């Protein structure tokens, strides 16, 4: 029998217990750094050095952390389900936790791309993490983080909609569902799909009937995820 289609939609909360800051919780990243300065198209145009500095710092932080039990539990679901992960996170902890199909809606921290040609994308390595406004690629072109800045389109959104439309189960973990269009994915699971939302402080999702909300830390709930999905 074909495996059921599971789409796992994650946000910063899934990586919180690895030691990566969330954005909107108290003390989160957007408390410390004004979002429009470090993560918007205007901010990058105004002060690229500052934006590079911000992402360099986050890359360094990423190297020092490990996937947690939630990332690993999601990867293990591939034994039972046909799994696609759609993440708003720019870290690579899903991949390092073993997930094989990961769509990054908001880009990837460990990649940069050419300012001239957005199809030229470069993977950074541990020994080559720091990028600044003077960095150049092999064609002599400047580089920018491979991140979807605020004020920019989300190029992977159409693909994400396709995936969600074809799911049997939609599992949402660790997102405040504040940022659009990403949060808008919730309207796309088929009516008969089962929807589960795990978050320490879940957003209101009562506008869609039948969502099972589980309040708690992703890594603590991780050992029970398989049972939650199997429940009728
Ligand atoms: P937020 O910081 O908005 O929300 C994090 C969510 O994780 C909140 O709902 C918390 O309650 C929850 N949370 C915190 N710790 C948790 C834990 N241990 N286990 C489970 N849940 C936990 O982050 P996102 O929703 O991911 O975009 O934010 C979406 C986007 O906004 C990000 O991708 C980023 C940001 O601006 C860009 O930079 C483009």
């Amino acid at each position: 029998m074909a495996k059921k289609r599971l789409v796992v939609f994650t946000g910063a909360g899934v990586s919180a217990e690895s030691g990566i800051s969330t954005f909107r919780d108290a003390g989160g990243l957007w408390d410390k750094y004004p979002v429009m300065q470090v993560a918007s198209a205007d901010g990058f145009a105004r002060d690229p050095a500052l934006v590079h500095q911000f992402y360099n710092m986050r890359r360094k932080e990423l190297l020092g952390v490990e996937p947690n039990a939630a990332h690993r539990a999601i990867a293990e679901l591939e034994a039972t389900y046909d799994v696609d992960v759609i993440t708003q996170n720019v870290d690579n902890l899903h991949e390092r936790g073993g997930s094989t199909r990961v769509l990054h809606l908001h880009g990837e921290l460990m990649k940069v791309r050419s300012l001239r040609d957005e199809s030229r994308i470069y993977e950074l390595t541990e020994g080559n993490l720091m990028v600044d406004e003077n960095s150049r690629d092999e064609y002599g072109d400047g580089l920018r983080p491979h991140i979807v800045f605020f004020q920019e389109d989300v190029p992977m959104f159409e693909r994400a909609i396709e995936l969600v439309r074809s799911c049997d189960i939609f599992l949402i973990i660790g997102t405040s569902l504040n940022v659009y269009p990403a949060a808008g994915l919730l309207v796309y699971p088929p009516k008969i799909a089962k929807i589960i939302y795990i978050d320490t402080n879940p957003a209101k999702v009562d506008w869609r009937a039948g969502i099972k909300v589980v309040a708690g830390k992703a890594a603590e709930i991780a050992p029970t995820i398989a049972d939650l999905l199997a429940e009728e």
Side-chain angles (χ1 to χ4, degrees), residues 11-14 16-17 22-25 30 39 88-89 106 148 150 174-179 197-201 216-218:
V14 78
E17 282 147 285
T22 58
F23 298 95
R24 295 177 183 78
D25 293 304
W30 297 156
Q88 297 164 88
N89 299 344
H106 293 161
V148 177
F150 282 90
T175 171
S176 63
L177 298 172
N178 253 300
V179 172
Y197 174 29
I198 300 171
D199 195 291
T200 45
N201 182 22
K217 290 186 174 179

Side-chain angles (χ1 to χ4, degrees), residues 109-183:
L109 204 45
M110 293 303 286
K111 293 181 181 171
V112 291
R113 66 173 188 261
S114 158
L115 280 171
R116 182 190 298 274
D117 176 353
E118 63 181 21
S119 71
R120 280 198 243 128
I121 299 168
Y122 305 96
E123 182 105 34
L124 298 171
T125 57
E126 205 165 313
N128 174 30
L129 279 184
M130 303 299 159
V131 181
D132 63 29
E133 64 286 9
N134 300 314
S135 303
R136 294 285 174 269
D137 69 3
E138 67 215 279
Y139 302 93
D141 295 320
L143 296 169
R144 60 162 281 173
H146 187 51
I147 297 283
V148 177
F149 290 139
F150 282 90
Q151 304 164 324
E152 291 183 331
D153 290 339
V154 178
M156 300 307 282
F157 192 59
E158 289 302 315
R159 175 67 188 140
I161 291 176
E162 261 175 50
L163 294 175
V164 176
R165 277 197 166 129
S166 71
C167 75
D168 299 299
I169 308 176
F170 190 51
L171 171 62
I172 307 163
I173 307 182
T175 171
S176 63
L177 298 172
N178 253 300
V179 172
Y180 284 80

Side-chain angles (χ1 to χ4, degrees), residues 5-219:
R5 293 253 321 115
L6 167 65
V7 171
V8 188
F9 176 49
T10 65
V14 78
S15 295
E17 282 147 285
S18 293
I20 294 188
S21 299
T22 58
F23 298 95
R24 295 177 183 78
D25 293 304
L29 271 179
W30 297 156
D31 267 356
K32 295 187 199 130
Y33 305 93
V35 51
M36 294 313 275
Q37 268 180 33
V38 298
S40 74
D42 284 349
F44 185 65
R46 218 172 12 241
D47 191 349
L50 177 76
V51 175
H52 279 302
Q53 221 178 59
F54 174 72
Y55 286 103
N56 283 340
M57 192 180 67
R58 297 190 60 200
R59 287 183 193 112
K60 228 167 115 184
E61 175 189 56
L62 179 57
L63 278 191
V65 305
E66 298 294 334
N68 66 49
H71 298 106
R72 290 193 296 273
I74 293 165
E76 281 163 17
L77 292 170
E78 292 187 11
T80 313
Y81 299 95
D82 181 20
V83 184
D84 280 282
V85 176
I86 301 174
T87 187
Q88 297 164 88
N89 299 344
V90 297
D91 65 50
N92 55 10
L93 295 178
H94 282 302
E95 289 90 339
R96 284 161 57 194
S99 286
T100 56
R101 294 208 305 259
V102 184
L103 181 152
H104 286 270
L105 269 183
H106 293 161
E108 293 175 72
L109 204 45
M110 293 303 286
K111 293 181 181 171
V112 291
R113 66 173 188 261
S114 158
L115 280 171
R116 182 190 298 274
D117 176 353
E118 63 181 21
S119 71
R120 280 198 243 128
I121 299 168
Y122 305 96
E123 182 105 34
L124 298 171
T125 57
E126 205 165 313
N128 174 30
L129 279 184
M130 303 299 159
V131 181
D132 63 29
E133 64 286 9
N134 300 314
S135 303
R136 294 285 174 269
D137 69 3
E138 67 215 279
Y139 302 93
D141 295 320
L143 296 169
R144 60 162 281 173
H146 187 51
I147 297 283
V148 177
F149 290 139
F150 282 90
Q151 304 164 324
E152 291 183 331
D153 290 339
V154 178
M156 300 307 282
F157 192 59
E158 289 302 315
R159 175 67 188 140
I161 291 176
E162 261 175 50
L163 294 175
V164 176
R165 277 197 166 129
S166 71
C167 75
D168 299 299
I169 308 176
F170 190 51
L171 171 62
I172 307 163
I173 307 182
T175 171
S176 63
L177 298 172
N178 253 300
V179 172
Y180 284 80
L185 283 178
L186 255 74
V187 305
Y188 294 102
K191 285 226 161 45
I192 54 163
K194 175 171 183 167
I195 307 181
I196 300 169
Y197 174 29
I198 300 171
D199 195 291
T200 45
N201 182 22
K204 273 209 171 11
V205 285
D206 47 10
W207 46 270
R208 164 118 195 192
I211 300 184
K212 182 179 176 73
V213 178
V214 182
K217 290 186 174 179

